Amino acid sequence: MSIPMPAPICLIENSPAGELQVQQEALKVLAEISQPVVVVAIAGLYRTGKSYLMNKLASKRTGFSLGSTIQSHTKGIWMWCLPHPRRAGHTLVLLDTEGLGDVEKGDAKNDTWIFALAVLLSSTLVYNSLGTINQQAMDQLHYVTELTERIKVKAAGRGSRQEGEDSAEFVRFFPAFVWAVRDFTLQLELDGQKITEDEYLENGLKLKPGSSQRAQLYNLPRECIRQFFPARKCFVFVQPAGRRDLARLEELREDELEPEFREQVAQFCRHVWEMSKPKTIPGGHVVTGGTRPNLPPQAHVERLTHLPHSGPVMARTPAPSAPPPHPGSGLPCLCPTWQRRLEEQKQELCQRNEVASSDRCKAALLELSDELDDRIGEGVYSVPGGYQRFLDDRQRMVDRYWQVPGKGVKAEEVLQEFLQSKAAVAQSILQTDEALTEKEKEMAAERARAEAAEREQQVLKQKEAELQQKLEDQDRSYQENLRQLETKLKDERKKLLEEQGKMMDQKLKVPGGPRVLGAAGDGWADLLRSTLALCFGGPPRFRGMWGLGDAGAGGSSALPHLDGSRH
């Protein structure tokens, strides 16, 4: 079962004298955990924010002690056992280690032992550093180059292995490696091209050609990381908040942290929760809390600092042997034949147990995956966002699988095989999701363009309508003005004609009665002369031109006739 722990407790104490001591209280807590354990340890230089990441993995704001001064807060190795957030029926064991390189402690050998214990105890090791992955960061990771001096692989009955053989065996025991780079300020680019965080790590682990001493010193930590940790991952984190707020990081709300930092922490936690495997011992046996396969006994831990050229022994699966006789029990020693038969029966039972466990697990997965297969066949996931929906449904199926009792020793192996068999389907769903998402984006862009064109067309139509209305208004105004002008001209003409008529009447009226101009009977000529006289009356010269006398002088009229004669 999983033991509820409200807060972390000390697993291995680092005494002021430099001795490492296992705490019995922590051993009692571990002994009561019967579930498989996923052990995540974090190591790195002191005062680099290791405890904050561990609290995030625990889904807590507080727990492991955070310090805001230059002094290291965590001493020894502290442990926190919690229900696994992604694997039902599993316990997540978080190990926060003492900061390496503490100037107050000044004991590099002690640091090396703490790093070695973190490697041995964990199934995932997080190495925390600041700034960038450069030569200084590699130099600070010199502890990994000393692992071969501190850890030996030993087979039962054969003694210690040769050093060359040790290196080949380490990969079987060592955890997955995650490098967390804090307060990262660079751009993830290489030769003008964007790169991933993992590519950034691999570029930092490239070896320098040559066999000079300088090249060997440069390549040594990189070769060790590449050889001992083939499964490795990298995460970079920006600074979580302003410098003034870093001292009270535990007190800050989520919305007070940098959004990019929150997203990076979320990705880190998801990876550790989903990819960290249960701790196992050689032979693929899953470790529970009471197993403690790699935890050195009390006396051995206390001797660590006094054995500079030896290390904790990682035992391989022991060779079969007959139980020794108990003194005074009266039980004889078993002969070699019986020992061989018992061993054969043991192997047969183990094989039958593994087959039964495998069959049981496959049957459970087959039953639990029916609904998932049906949804795949119905095309439920063939929509934008379908891949995330598929992952959620698959995780729910895995959670239900871990709740099935009696799965046996093959539970984890069969599950991984099943998930691997579905990898092609998952990849197909991912590709479909990406294609649909891209197509949806294109359709949305096309709709936006069509809507913009329609709006533009409506604006043009509105402008045309307004222009047409304006032209019509102008035409109506023009016609009205023209009509008014014509009316005014007609009125003025009428008035002018009336005035001219009145003037004509006034001119034709002669004082003293009518005069007869010209010969008798020549009335039209007289009228013409009279009219001309009226029109050109004025200066005497005009009147003389037509033979008009001065009426006032009693002169006679001498207007010419039309035929040129005079009267």
Side-chain angles (χ1 to χ4, degrees):
M1 65 177 180
S2 178
I3 304 300
M5 291 181 61
I9 61 175
C10 183
L11 174 63
I12 297 178
E13 181 184 9
N14 195 3
S15 68
E19 296 181 350
L20 303 177
Q21 299 174 348
V22 180
Q23 299 300 296
Q24 295 302 318
E25 178 187 358
L27 295 183
K28 291 179 182 178
V29 172
L30 287 173
E32 296 180 12
I33 300 177
S34 59
Q35 297 177 340
V37 292
V38 178
V39 185
V40 179
I42 190 166
L45 297 181
Y46 79 108
R47 305 305 305 118
T48 55
K50 300 186 301 299
S51 300
Y52 179 83
L53 286 183
M54 298 306 278
N55 288 337
K56 286 298 181 182
L57 289 175
S59 301
K60 306 289 184 181
R61 289 184 62 182
T62 60
F64 290 108
S65 175
L66 274 66
S68 58
T69 65
I70 60 173
Q71 292 179 311
S72 173
H73 260 225
T74 305
K75 299 296 183 182
I77 299 179
W78 285 68
M79 174 185 73
W80 201 354
C81 301
L82 302 160
H84 199 290
R86 291 290 190 274
R87 296 176 183 266
H90 286 62
T91 297
L92 178 64
V93 179
L94 301 177
L95 301 180
D96 188 13
T97 66
E98 179 176 340
L100 308 176
D102 187 355
V103 293
E104 293 184 357
K105 181 174 64 175
D107 190 348
K109 188 187 302 182
N110 184 267
D111 287 346
T112 303
W113 282 122
I114 290 178
F115 187 82
L117 286 174
V119 170
L120 293 177
L121 293 173
S122 62
S123 48
T124 294
L125 174 67
V126 180
Y127 179 71
N128 193 74
S129 68
L130 288 178
T132 61
I133 299 179
N134 53 18
Q135 186 57 38
Q136 181 182 0
M138 289 294 174
D139 293 339
Q140 292 169 345
L141 194 52
H142 65 87
Y143 308 100
V144 73
T145 65
E146 303 176 23
L147 290 176
T148 55
E149 301 177 8
R150 307 298 178 187
I151 302 174
K152 302 297 180 183
V153 180
K154 182 177 180 181
R158 292 173 53 190
S160 297
R161 300 169 62 90
Q162 296 297 320
E163 183 175 352
E165 295 175 324
D166 284 341
S167 299
E169 289 290 329
F170 284 157
V171 175
R172 299 178 54 200
F173 301 100
F174 278 14
F177 184 79
V178 177
W179 194 323
V181 184
R182 308 291 292 277
D183 297 349
F184 187 77
T185 58
L186 302 180
Q187 296 292 328
L188 285 176
E189 293 183 358
L190 183 63
D191 297 331
Q193 301 292 327
K194 292 187 178 297
I195 58 175
T196 64
E197 295 158 310
D198 293 339
E199 290 171 339
Y200 173 64
L201 173 59
E202 295 307 313
N203 182 70
L205 296 178
K206 284 183 178 179
L207 303 180
K208 181 179 294 186
S211 57
S212 64
Q213 183 178 4
R214 183 175 181 181
Q216 292 177 3
L217 291 175
Y218 177 89
N219 292 335
L220 180 58
R222 293 169 172 80
E223 288 177 339
C224 291
I225 294 175
R226 291 161 63 101
Q227 181 178 0
F228 296 155
F229 303 107
R232 49 187 178 265
K233 181 75 176 173
C234 180
F235 289 92
V236 298
F237 303 84
V238 299
Q239 187 166 300
R243 185 174 180 180
R244 295 180 180 272
D245 293 328
L246 292 179
R248 57 184 191 93
L249 201 55
E250 284 181 331
E251 304 172 5
L252 296 181
R253 301 188 308 273
E254 284 295 310
D255 58 359
E256 293 180 295
L257 300 174
E258 289 292 333
E260 185 177 1
F261 176 76
R262 297 203 306 267
E263 177 61 25
Q264 291 166 340
V265 171
Q267 293 177 359
F268 167 78
C269 291
R270 281 197 300 268
H271 173 82
V272 173
W273 288 335
E274 295 175 2
M275 303 307 296
S276 297
K277 297 180 180 180
K279 184 66 178 177
T280 59
I281 57 177
H285 302 289
V286 178
V287 174
T288 63
T291 309
R292 305 196 309 276
N294 291 335
L295 186 61
Q298 175 73 23
H300 186 61
V301 173
E302 292 176 352
R303 291 199 309 268
L304 288 179
T305 56
H306 304 293
L307 299 176
H309 300 295
S310 63
V313 175
M314 303 179 66
R316 301 180 65 194
T317 305
S321 59
H326 297 281
S329 65
L331 296 176
C333 295
L334 296 176
C335 65
T337 302
W338 280 104
Q339 292 181 21
R340 185 171 59 255
R341 289 181 180 179
L342 286 175
E343 182 61 28
E344 291 174 354
Q345 291 180 2
K346 174 185 174 182
Q347 294 296 332
E348 182 181 356
L349 288 174
C350 289
Q351 292 177 1
R352 290 168 59 185
N353 184 38
E354 291 179 356
V355 171
S357 173
S358 178
D359 293 342
R360 169 65 174 161
C361 294
K362 289 179 180 178
L365 285 172
L366 186 62
E367 180 180 355
L368 292 172
S369 64
D370 283 343
E371 182 179 356
L372 189 66
D373 292 338
D374 291 341
R375 294 173 70 85
I376 293 174
E378 294 170 359
V380 174
Y381 307 116
S382 299
V383 295
Y387 180 66
Q388 185 59 48
R389 189 183 304 178
F390 167 76
L391 293 180
D392 294 340
D393 290 346
R394 187 181 68 177
Q395 185 58 47
R396 281 192 290 270
M397 183 207 70
V398 172
D399 293 341
R400 292 169 58 191
Y401 168 76
W402 286 116
Q403 295 173 1
V404 175
K407 295 185 293 295
V409 296
K410 287 288 187 176
E412 179 67 24
E413 180 179 344
V414 172
L415 175 61
Q416 294 303 323
E417 291 177 355
F418 172 81
L419 295 178
Q420 186 63 31
S421 68
K422 297 292 185 180
V425 176
Q427 184 65 24
S428 175
I429 294 174
L430 175 59
Q431 293 175 354
T432 302
D433 187 3
E434 291 176 345
L436 290 174
T437 302
E438 188 64 28
K439 186 175 181 180
E440 188 178 54
K441 291 180 180 178
E442 293 177 358
M443 293 176 62
E446 185 65 29
R447 285 196 299 269
R449 287 193 294 269
E451 292 174 357
E454 184 178 355
R455 287 194 298 270
E456 185 177 356
Q457 190 67 23
Q458 290 176 352
V459 171
L460 289 175
K461 288 182 178 179
Q462 184 177 357
K463 289 183 177 180
E464 288 180 358
E466 292 175 354
L467 180 60
Q468 183 65 27
Q469 183 66 32
K470 186 176 181 180
L471 292 175
E472 292 177 358
D473 293 343
Q474 289 178 350
D475 185 63
R476 282 194 299 269
S477 177
Y478 171 76
Q479 295 296 334
E480 179 64 23
N481 292 335
L482 184 61
R483 185 187 63 79
Q484 293 178 0
L485 181 60
E486 289 178 348
T487 302
K488 183 177 180 180
L489 289 175
K490 287 180 180 180
D491 293 343
E492 290 180 352
R493 182 183 179 189
K494 182 178 179 181
K495 290 179 180 180
L496 181 61
L497 290 176
E498 289 177 353
E499 291 177 357
Q500 288 179 351
K502 290 179 179 180
M503 291 176 61
M504 187 72 78
D505 290 342
Q506 291 294 331
K507 293 291 183 178
L508 290 176
K509 290 180 180 180
V510 179
R515 288 175 54 192
V516 177
L517 300 176
D522 195 7
W524 183 85
D526 292 341
L527 178 61
L528 178 60
R529 285 194 297 270
S530 299
T531 302
L532 291 173
L534 288 173
C535 292
F536 295 98
R541 65 179 181 271
F542 291 110
R543 292 195 299 271
M545 289 177 60
W546 298 100
L548 296 176
D550 189 356
S556 63
S557 177
L559 290 175
H561 288 273
L562 293 177
D563 57 2
S565 61
R566 296 177 62 90
H567 294 275

